[in-house]
Amino acid sequence: TAFYTERDNRALDGYGYQTDYPPQEEDAASDVTEGHDEDDQMYEGEYQGIPHPDEIKAARRAARTKARTAVDAMSEQEELAEQYEDIIEDCGHGRFQWSLFMVLGLALMADSVECFVVAFALPSAEKDMCLSNAEKGMLGLIVFLGMMFGAFIWGGMADKVGRRKCLIIALSINCIAAFLSSFAQGYGSFIFFRLFSGIGIGGSVPIVYSYFSEFLQMDKRGEHLSWLCMFWMIGGIYASFIAWGIIPRYGWGFSMGTEFQFHSWRVFVLVCALPAIAALIGLMFMPESPRFLLEHAKHDEAWMILKQVHDTNWRAKGEPERVFTVSQIKTPKTQEDEFFEIQSSTGTAFQRWVVRTVTLVKLVLKNAASLFAPDLRLATLLMAIIWFTMAFSYYGLAVWFPDMIKHLQYEEYESKVKVFHGEKVERFHFNFSLENQVHKGGEYINDKFVNIEMKSVKFESSLFEDCYFEDIKSSDTFFENCTIRSTVFYNTDLYEERFIDCRMENTSFFHTKKGCHLNFAEENDVLIYLVSFLGSLAVLPGNIISALFMDKIGRIRMIGGSMLISAGCTFFLFMSFSQAAIIAWQCLFCGVSVAAWNGIEVITVELYPASKRATAFGLLNATCKLAAILGSSIFASFVGITKVVPILLSCAALVCGGLLALKLPETREKVLQ
């Protein structure tokens, strides 16, 4: 009570707390209600000399007030930040924040799912669209490319147009593009829609963290932003489960002739859009960030939203009589007048739109350039390096782990290959499947190959004379340097690309089924889904630990410690000679590194002022996606060649980033600017 009286007597300029603020006994300012006896109004911790949470909050606020009065010339931004922190504390943490937590969590989950869509759908999509290795590689990277541009675009826009509005537009683009991509039949159209899907979802991470942080009080910010990170894990689990449940069900789909095919992997792409759709629906019931509105001199709108937050939380806690006592909030002078005047300038609607768009682009670029001003330059460069090194290692290994498992499976399969030299077969009817075989220098005279499957079969320097092939289904089957005479191929999928340097004499092909979609399904798909599921699930303990200790040990030690321990984990990969060992080390790496990700995302929103927060997050997240593209490309190129380079690269990147993280300022006791 003494604190509020002292503050009111000072009559600080711009602070609109009313002088009839409720007395302390009516003000349960903390949402922590444990230990409170309703009968005698006695706080049980008082017997042990433990301060009441209200007293702790009042003392903290008094310390901030004392610090404010000690500063001769406090900027408007600092005054607003201090007052806004006091208001958010009075609003409490309750039903409103948890509702927003769920909605924004779904948006973050949609971002996670987007990273898995192409990887899971690709083994089936490549058969439908007959993709070359180069096309498959581009398709795998195009989503990250879209997310890179999307992060910068929507992050910058969110600081000028609004967090909620930009997130709605970004998620809408993602949903529409994902829907259209599921029906796209050609490679060009599919990659185009996946690019725009990535551009849309790229805005979710920078906006979600900036948006949610502006509804959190200082002592809860680190913990609850870390809990929010759990939705990224949930997204990975969701994608793995539905991929396993849908994609192998090849009967789930339909076709319209040969021009339109809708197979199970397309159903999977559609279902992956559900988290984004759910987030969109939830955002319709959420307000704009009041901190953003205050930055843009929209005092009345911000006041109404803060009152809504206050009333929602205290009604849910059984205190509907609690009154929102703020009458006026400090609003800094802005330089947005030019932007708003242009909207109502003369000319056609199109001319006004062009001028407004150009102005907006200039404002976004100017805001991005301000991140390298003297006061922010060092922090921005350090954060960019930390984001880059973390993403380079994490995403590089995320590709390397499953690719190494596939390589080990391939090596094991190849080790069991059966080689036949100089066999001579005449007048024989092959009515059984051929698998994992190499036939060299054979002669096949007047033989029949009818209604059989060929998987990983190769005929080298062989002779086929007066043979008959009918109803053949093949996968990874080739004829190389063979002579084929007076032979008929009827209703097979052995088209000309399967015959390498072969001599054809009086050979006929009838009703050839050409198309890579005829290949056998990959038998290791389920294992890849399981690997991704385990990697996502391994994040859970690390996420819980980082959330509980983020505000206790600090962001800097969390980031540095996690990255350095992750670097140590990578050395154990030298001892990984089996699929089980690689999966185990993948789980360990993911579980340890998630703490660094949480710390990086928390400190990013705390280092920058509200007018630059989403822009900075967007720029740094774009740097992250660039590192993901480079890391996944470089690491994948060494699969089957050497383990040394990927391991040393990831280790060096993590050590560099972890040591630089220790140079960052600690922000856990910092009021959100």
Side-chain angles (χ1 to χ4, degrees):
T1 307
F3 163 66
Y4 292 116
T5 304
E6 182 181 359
R7 183 184 59 195
D8 294 334
N9 290 339
R10 289 196 188 100
L12 292 173
D13 179 37
Y15 282 71
Y17 290 93
Q18 298 172 357
T19 55
D20 57 343
Y21 196 92
Q24 183 71 25
E25 60 269 21
E26 297 178 11
D27 179 16
S30 173
D31 59 318
V32 180
T33 57
E34 290 81 6
H36 188 274
D37 192 336
E38 295 294 341
D39 294 329
D40 56 9
Q41 299 293 310
M42 181 66 69
Y43 171 61
E44 68 181 28
E46 185 176 324
Y47 293 114
Q48 290 84 33
I50 302 173
H52 192 283
D54 288 353
E55 296 175 8
I56 296 174
K57 184 180 292 185
R60 187 187 300 120
R61 194 178 290 183
R64 290 203 303 267
T65 304
K66 185 176 181 180
R68 288 199 298 263
T69 56
V71 178
D72 294 331
M74 180 179 286
S75 69
E76 290 180 335
Q77 291 289 346
E78 291 172 327
E79 289 185 45
L80 172 58
E82 295 284 352
Q83 185 190 10
Y84 190 79
E85 179 64 31
D86 291 345
I87 296 171
I88 289 295
E89 283 186 359
D90 289 339
C91 289
H93 187 95
R95 175 177 292 176
F96 179 88
Q97 279 85 358
W98 285 114
S99 300
L100 185 63
F101 173 84
M102 293 302 299
V103 172
L104 297 182
L106 287 168
L108 195 60
M109 181 177 167
D111 178 89
S112 173
V113 170
E114 188 73 20
C115 295
F116 290 94
V117 171
V118 170
F120 287 155
L122 194 55
S124 299
E126 66 175 303
K127 299 170 188 175
D128 267 14
M129 294 183 279
C130 300
L131 304 181
S132 65
N133 288 332
E135 289 172 331
K136 286 189 289 184
M138 177 55 69
L139 188 55
L141 297 178
I142 198 68
V143 172
F144 284 111
L145 188 64
M147 294 172 80
M148 182 180 74
F149 287 109
F152 179 76
I153 293 168
W154 297 114
M157 294 275 285
D159 279 333
K160 296 300 176 184
V161 178
R163 279 78 161 112
R164 175 180 175 272
K165 184 176 181 180
C166 282
L167 188 55
I168 288 175
I169 297 172
L171 289 175
S172 298
I173 291 174
N174 171 251
C175 291
I176 294 170
F179 176 80
L180 294 174
S181 72
S182 69
F183 290 93
Q185 298 298 301
Y187 171 74
S189 56
F190 183 76
I191 200 172
F192 175 79
F193 289 127
R194 291 319 302 181
L195 173 65
F196 272 88
S197 178
I199 289 174
I201 204 62
S204 63
V205 172
I207 299 176
V208 160
Y209 283 98
S210 302
Y211 191 8
F212 191 49
S213 67
E214 292 168 354
F215 285 97
L216 296 174
Q217 57 201 61
M218 182 173 63
D219 59 343
K220 294 183 178 294
R221 199 165 56 227
E223 178 185 348
H224 287 273
L225 286 174
S226 297
W227 288 129
L228 189 64
C229 295
M230 290 189 70
F231 279 93
W232 215 92
M233 173 203 73
I234 296 171
I237 294 174
Y238 173 80
S240 303
F241 259 119
I242 63 173
W244 176 55
I246 294 176
I247 294 178
R249 309 301 192 267
Y250 299 105
W252 290 16
F254 61 91
S255 60
M256 300 172 63
T258 58
E259 298 299 322
F260 185 86
Q261 305 284 337
F262 195 90
H263 295 139
S264 56
W265 69 268
R266 298 181 184 274
V267 178
F268 165 72
V269 172
L270 275 180
V271 175
C272 282
L274 291 180
I277 294 172
L280 263 177
I281 295 171
L283 281 170
M284 299 302 171
F285 302 94
M286 293 293 117
E288 180 56 85
S289 163
R291 188 70 173 86
F292 166 80
L293 294 172
L294 290 172
E295 286 292 326
H296 291 257
K298 297 181 179 180
H299 173 278
D300 294 343
E301 292 179 47
W303 186 90
M304 289 296 294
I305 293 170
L306 288 168
K307 184 178 186 303
Q308 174 191 345
V309 176
H310 176 280
D311 294 347
T312 299
N313 287 341
W314 291 113
R315 277 199 302 268
K317 294 174 185 177
E319 297 187 42
E321 72 283 354
R322 188 84 174 230
V323 179
F324 186 58
T325 58
V326 179
S327 61
Q328 184 179 355
I329 308 173
K330 183 75 177 180
T331 51
K333 296 178 182 178
T334 65
Q335 298 179 351
E336 300 297 319
D337 295 339
E338 177 188 5
F339 175 72
F340 288 104
E341 288 173 6
I342 289 174
Q343 294 184 62
S344 57
S345 62
T346 58
T348 65
F350 178 74
Q351 288 174 328
R352 289 196 298 272
W353 177 82
V354 170
V355 172
R356 184 169 182 262
T357 301
V358 171
T359 305
L360 179 59
V361 170
K362 289 180 179 178
L363 289 172
V364 169
L365 293 177
K366 182 180 178 182
N367 207 31
S370 69
L371 298 174
F372 297 93
D375 58 329
L376 293 174
R377 183 184 302 140
L378 180 60
T380 300
L381 290 175
L382 285 175
M383 287 302 299
I385 295 172
I386 294 168
W387 272 92
F388 186 92
T389 53
M390 187 66 203
F392 180 81
S393 178
Y394 181 86
Y395 286 102
L397 288 176
V399 170
W400 187 80
F401 284 127
D403 281 359
M404 273 299 296
I405 291 173
K406 287 182 179 179
H407 176 70
L408 290 175
Q409 288 177 330
Y410 179 74
E411 282 189 332
E412 182 181 357
Y413 187 74
E414 267 201 332
S415 67
K416 299 176 182 178
V417 65
K418 297 177 182 178
V419 182
F420 300 86
H421 292 277
E423 62 180 354
K424 186 172 183 179
V425 183
E426 294 187 50
R427 301 182 182 277
F428 187 78
H429 185 183
F430 288 87
N431 57 2
F432 50 87
S433 295
L434 306 178
E435 181 177 354
N436 200 20
Q437 299 176 3
V438 175
H439 299 262
K440 298 182 177 181
E443 293 183 13
Y444 305 90
I445 312 297
N446 203 13
D447 295 325
K448 289 185 178 181
F449 300 79
V450 179
N451 194 26
I452 65 173
E453 296 178 346
M454 296 181 178
K455 182 176 183 180
S456 297
V457 178
K458 188 175 183 181
F459 294 94
E460 294 182 7
S461 304
S462 297
L463 170 66
F464 292 85
E465 188 169 353
D466 294 320
C467 293
Y468 182 74
F469 291 79
E470 181 179 355
D471 293 331
I472 304 298
K473 185 179 180 182
S474 65
S475 175
D476 194 27
T477 296
F478 299 94
F479 297 77
E480 185 174 343
N481 198 29
C482 294
T483 300
I484 303 174
R485 297 174 186 158
S486 304
T487 296
V488 175
F489 292 86
Y490 180 84
N491 197 34
T492 72
D493 59 5
L494 300 173
Y495 45 89
E496 60 182 15
E497 284 83 357
R498 302 292 187 92
F499 299 90
I500 305 169
D501 297 329
C502 291
R503 292 173 295 280
M504 301 284 187
E505 299 175 10
N506 195 27
T507 298
S508 304
F509 290 84
F510 299 101
H511 302 290
T512 302
K513 299 181 291 184
K514 184 175 180 179
C516 47
H517 61 278
L518 301 170
N519 286 351
F520 296 142
E522 291 291 336
E523 293 181 354
N524 61 2
D525 283 352
V526 174
L527 178 61
I528 298 304
Y529 305 149
L530 178 63
V531 170
S532 299
F533 167 75
L534 292 175
S536 298
L537 191 62
V539 168
L540 180 61
N543 229 320
I544 294 173
I545 292 171
S546 63
L548 294 177
F549 290 94
M550 185 67 71
D551 290 317
K552 293 181 174 63
I553 69 173
R555 288 76 162 121
I556 303 308
R557 282 186 283 182
M558 183 71 72
I559 299 170
S562 175
M563 292 185 75
L564 292 175
I565 295 173
S566 298
C569 291
T570 59
F571 271 102
F572 290 105
L573 293 173
F574 281 117
M575 298 182 290
S576 301
F577 301 103
S578 66
Q579 298 177 39
I582 289 178
I583 293 172
W585 291 121
Q586 177 196 16
C587 292
L588 179 62
F589 177 79
C590 292
V592 172
S593 62
V594 68
W597 278 119
N598 291 359
I600 289 170
E601 285 154 348
V602 170
I603 201 171
T604 300
V605 300
E606 295 175 334
L607 277 176
Y608 297 93
S611 60
K612 299 176 176 62
R613 182 169 298 123
T615 301
F617 210 124
L619 178 64
L620 294 171
N621 197 249
T623 304
C624 165
K625 296 304 184 287
L626 175 62
I629 293 172
L630 294 175
S632 57
S633 301
I634 293 172
F635 281 49
S637 65
F638 286 99
V639 173
I641 299 175
T642 178
K643 291 195 295 185
V644 175
V645 175
I647 292 173
L648 291 181
L649 281 176
S650 61
C651 184
L654 289 168
V655 170
C656 176
L659 293 177
L660 286 177
L662 301 177
K663 301 291 184 181
L664 290 170
E666 182 56 71
T667 57
R668 59 176 166 167
E669 297 293 335
K670 179 183 177 183
V671 172
L672 207 62
Q673 294 296 312

